[in-house]
Structure formats: C-alpha cells, structure tokens
Amino acid sequence: MKSGYIDGMLDNKGLASAYGILELLYLGGNLISAIPPEVANLPYLSYLVLCDNRIQSVPPQLTRLHSLRSLSLHNNLLTYLPREILSLVHLQELSLRGNPLVVRFVKEMTYDPPSLLELAGRTIKSRNIPYSPCDLPSNLLRYLDLASKCPNPKCAGVYFDSCVRHIKFVDFCGKYRLPLMHYLCSPECTSPCSSNPQSDAESEDESSVPADRLQRVLLG
C-alpha cells in the first residue's frame, strides 16, 4: 500500500468518517517514505504501526492523536523525533529500534540568516513595541501574529521563518535519552545546550516529562 493511496484514502471525507472510530492502523512494510498528516484525523486511534518502511520524519500533526497508546516506528530512517511528541500524554510504548537515531543523529543543522522583514518583526515582538491596524497593512499584521517564542528559557527572542533546527536529547523513563528536534531563534541559543548537556535550556523539557510517561521505549 503506497503512501499516496493512504493519503487519498484518509483525505476522502466519506471514508474519513468511516475510519473515525478506527483504533488500530497497521501500515508496516509498505515502503512508505512519509507519514500522511491525515492520519491525525483518527481521534480514537490507539495503536499505530509504521514499522519496516522508509520514513525519515514524524509529522507534528500526530500529536492530535490523543488516544494513542502504542507507536511502532522500528526499522525506518528516523534520525530525530519532533519535540511535539511530548504531547502524546497516553503513549505507553514507543518502538524505535533499527533507526539511525538509535546509533547516530544529526548534530549540526544549517541556518539561513533572517530577512530584513523578519529582523524588523523580531524587534517589534521582542521589545513589545505597540502597533495597531491603523499603523500597519493587514499582511504585516498577519505576519507578526506568526511569531514563535524561542524555547530557550534564557532567551527572550522570537522567530518567524528563520530558525535553528537543533537536536536536543530529552530523558524518557529515567533511562533513555532520545534526540528531539528543537527550534531556536539563532545559533547563539545553541551554545548553552551544546556546551552543557544539563543546561537550563535542556533540563526544562526533561522536567516536564512525568515519570510514568512512555513506559516502554524499545531501542534494541
């Protein structure tokens, strides 16, 4: 079953309603290269099997699967996990063996310098400069609403389109440290994370993970 077929199947409104009560979805061994975001439209899905494919990334939309208890991703091409996976509050089993992230991960990410528009937007948002619909055209107002706060607790910056994609390890179950994708506003924000693995920027996410989360993380 190809990913294009799965994408179309889940995007069809009639079939989507029929699959709305689906609790187990097995898509293993289908040479899938990308997880269709439409999978997130299955609110009662408890078991999602995506093993033995060619998946390179997990879409953040999967965090809408609030009923998900087991996620099988072993034997794929994953080098990191999205930070949003921490939102899967009912997830009890995560299978990751046979992925590159188990033995290696991406340490350095490219960074495109921000545009003049983004620099101006960052200044307005980070310095809390007041503005109103009378001051700016509607397209710039919409742009300013897209600002994302830098997750580094020591940084008060924001970003729009330009950010540093940084791999950060987060502790699960007190035993496993998994590489999650972390977005920062500038390369300077990566310094505390890389120089001190127990820095405030890293420990903040770790402390937010309850001890009973992810009861089984299968790496081997």
Side-chain angles (χ1 to χ4, degrees):
M1 185 185 297
K2 302 297 184 182
S3 60
Y5 173 78
I6 298 167
D7 185 24
M9 177 184 71
L10 294 172
D11 195 39
N12 183 284
K13 292 183 178 179
L15 287 177
S17 61
Y19 283 91
I21 59 174
L22 192 67
E23 295 185 5
L24 188 152
L25 180 59
Y26 188 98
L27 299 175
N30 283 297
L31 303 180
I32 299 171
S33 58
I35 303 173
E38 289 78 13
V39 171
N41 297 331
L42 302 171
Y44 299 102
L45 192 65
S46 298
Y47 303 90
L48 179 56
V49 181
L50 295 162
C51 60
D52 302 303
N53 283 298
R54 298 176 180 175
I55 298 169
Q56 300 184 42
S57 63
V58 176
Q61 289 90 338
L62 289 192
T63 58
R64 303 203 319 255
L65 296 174
H66 302 299
S67 301
L68 196 64
R69 296 175 56 191
S70 176
L71 178 58
S72 297
L73 291 166
H74 51 274
N75 298 329
N76 276 287
L77 301 175
L78 296 170
T79 55
Y80 66 89
L81 295 174
R83 187 166 175 256
E84 291 82 358
I85 201 170
L86 298 175
S87 301
L88 295 174
V89 296
H90 295 294
L91 193 62
Q92 297 179 355
E93 181 177 279
L94 176 63
S95 178
L96 295 168
R97 63 183 182 274
N99 279 282
L101 67 80
V102 176
V103 295
R104 59 184 173 85
F105 53 93
V106 182
K107 290 184 178 180
E108 300 296 334
M109 293 289 179
T110 58
Y111 173 65
D112 295 324
S115 63
L116 291 177
L117 173 63
E118 173 146 354
L119 289 173
R122 290 187 179 196
T123 300
I124 291 173
K125 300 296 287 189
S126 62
R127 297 187 180 182
N128 295 317
I129 298 175
Y131 59 90
S132 69
C134 299
D135 303 320
L136 299 171
S138 58
N139 62 316
L140 292 182
L141 291 173
R142 288 193 297 269
Y143 180 78
L144 290 172
D145 288 339
L146 297 176
S148 298
K149 186 180 183 302
C150 182
N152 187 339
K154 295 183 178 180
C155 176
V158 299
Y159 63 87
F160 293 86
D161 301 313
S162 177
C163 62
V164 176
R165 293 179 295 275
H166 177 67
I167 296 297
K168 187 181 68 170
F169 281 86
V170 171
D171 189 18
F172 287 103
C173 306
K175 181 177 180 181
Y176 301 109
R177 295 178 65 78
L178 301 181
L180 303 187
M181 183 64 82
H182 192 59
Y183 297 92
L184 301 169
C185 67
S186 70
E188 286 74 17
C189 283
T190 65
S191 298
C193 296
S194 57
S195 62
N196 182 3
Q198 296 299 325
S199 66
D200 292 340
E202 184 152 336
S203 61
E204 182 188 41
D205 278 348
E206 293 182 4
S207 61
S208 67
V209 182
D212 59 349
R213 288 284 307 283
L214 289 176
Q215 297 172 13
R216 298 180 63 195
V217 181
L218 308 180
L219 299 180

Short mmCIF file of all heavy atoms in Angstrom, two decimals, residues 15 25 36 53 58 63 74 119 129 144 160 171 201 210:
data_model
loop_
_atom_site.label_atom_id
_atom_site.label_comp_id
_atom_site.label_asym_id
_atom_site.label_seq_id
_atom_site.Cartn_x
_atom_site.Cartn_y
_atom_site.Cartn_z
N LEU A 15 -14.80 8.36 3.50
CA LEU A 15 -14.03 7.30 4.13
C LEU A 15 -13.46 7.74 5.46
O LEU A 15 -13.33 6.95 6.39
CB LEU A 15 -12.89 6.85 3.20
CG LEU A 15 -13.32 6.03 1.98
CD1 LEU A 15 -12.11 5.74 1.11
CD2 LEU A 15 -14.01 4.75 2.40
N LEU A 25 -4.26 0.85 13.38
CA LEU A 25 -3.92 1.05 11.97
C LEU A 25 -2.54 0.46 11.72
O LEU A 25 -1.56 0.88 12.32
CB LEU A 25 -3.93 2.54 11.63
CG LEU A 25 -3.59 2.90 10.18
CD1 LEU A 25 -4.57 2.25 9.20
CD2 LEU A 25 -3.60 4.42 10.00
N PRO A 36 1.40 10.24 6.19
CA PRO A 36 0.39 11.22 5.79
C PRO A 36 -0.15 11.96 7.02
O PRO A 36 -0.59 11.33 7.98
CB PRO A 36 -0.71 10.36 5.15
CG PRO A 36 -0.06 9.07 4.82
CD PRO A 36 1.01 8.87 5.85
N ASN A 53 9.41 0.58 7.09
CA ASN A 53 9.17 1.47 5.97
C ASN A 53 10.41 2.29 5.69
O ASN A 53 11.52 1.89 6.09
CB ASN A 53 7.95 2.37 6.26
CG ASN A 53 6.63 1.62 6.10
OD1 ASN A 53 6.30 1.15 5.03
ND2 ASN A 53 5.87 1.53 7.20
N VAL A 58 8.72 12.35 11.52
CA VAL A 58 7.38 12.18 12.09
C VAL A 58 6.69 13.54 12.07
O VAL A 58 7.19 14.49 12.68
CB VAL A 58 7.44 11.64 13.53
CG1 VAL A 58 6.06 11.56 14.15
CG2 VAL A 58 8.11 10.27 13.55
N THR A 63 0.50 14.64 17.06
CA THR A 63 0.22 14.94 18.46
C THR A 63 -1.27 15.14 18.70
O THR A 63 -1.70 15.22 19.85
CB THR A 63 0.98 16.20 18.91
OG1 THR A 63 0.60 17.31 18.07
CG2 THR A 63 2.47 15.99 18.80
N HIS A 74 9.87 1.15 14.38
CA HIS A 74 11.15 0.47 14.20
C HIS A 74 11.41 0.16 12.73
O HIS A 74 10.49 0.02 11.92
CB HIS A 74 11.21 -0.81 15.05
CG HIS A 74 10.06 -1.73 14.90
ND1 HIS A 74 8.89 -1.60 15.62
CD2 HIS A 74 9.88 -2.82 14.11
CE1 HIS A 74 8.05 -2.57 15.29
NE2 HIS A 74 8.62 -3.31 14.37
N LEU A 119 13.83 40.43 10.71
CA LEU A 119 14.56 41.20 11.73
C LEU A 119 13.70 42.32 12.30
O LEU A 119 13.70 42.56 13.51
CB LEU A 119 15.84 41.78 11.12
CG LEU A 119 16.95 40.77 10.81
CD1 LEU A 119 18.09 41.46 10.07
CD2 LEU A 119 17.46 40.12 12.09
N ILE A 129 7.00 46.49 21.12
CA ILE A 129 6.65 47.78 20.52
C ILE A 129 5.18 47.76 20.14
O ILE A 129 4.73 46.87 19.40
CB ILE A 129 7.53 48.07 19.29
CG1 ILE A 129 9.01 48.14 19.71
CG2 ILE A 129 7.10 49.34 18.59
CD1 ILE A 129 9.97 48.31 18.55
N LEU A 144 3.12 39.32 11.82
CA LEU A 144 3.53 39.48 13.21
C LEU A 144 2.83 38.49 14.13
O LEU A 144 3.37 38.09 15.16
CB LEU A 144 3.26 40.91 13.68
CG LEU A 144 4.16 42.00 13.07
CD1 LEU A 144 3.67 43.38 13.46
CD2 LEU A 144 5.61 41.79 13.48
N PHE A 160 10.39 33.79 13.07
CA PHE A 160 9.29 33.62 12.12
C PHE A 160 9.63 32.47 11.18
O PHE A 160 9.30 31.33 11.43
CB PHE A 160 9.03 34.92 11.35
CG PHE A 160 8.50 36.04 12.22
CD1 PHE A 160 9.37 36.87 12.92
CD2 PHE A 160 7.15 36.25 12.33
CE1 PHE A 160 8.89 37.89 13.72
CE2 PHE A 160 6.65 37.27 13.14
CZ PHE A 160 7.53 38.10 13.83
N ASP A 171 15.23 13.16 28.28
CA ASP A 171 15.24 11.93 29.05
C ASP A 171 13.84 11.34 29.14
O ASP A 171 12.88 12.02 29.47
CB ASP A 171 15.75 12.24 30.46
CG ASP A 171 15.99 10.98 31.27
OD1 ASP A 171 16.09 9.91 30.66
OD2 ASP A 171 16.06 11.08 32.51
N ALA A 201 18.30 25.18 29.43
CA ALA A 201 17.55 25.06 28.20
C ALA A 201 17.17 23.62 27.93
O ALA A 201 16.16 23.33 27.32
CB ALA A 201 18.38 25.60 27.02
N PRO A 210 6.48 13.53 32.85
CA PRO A 210 6.16 12.75 34.05
C PRO A 210 6.89 11.43 34.08
O PRO A 210 7.22 10.86 33.03
CB PRO A 210 4.64 12.55 33.95
CG PRO A 210 4.17 13.62 33.01
CD PRO A 210 5.29 13.85 32.06
#
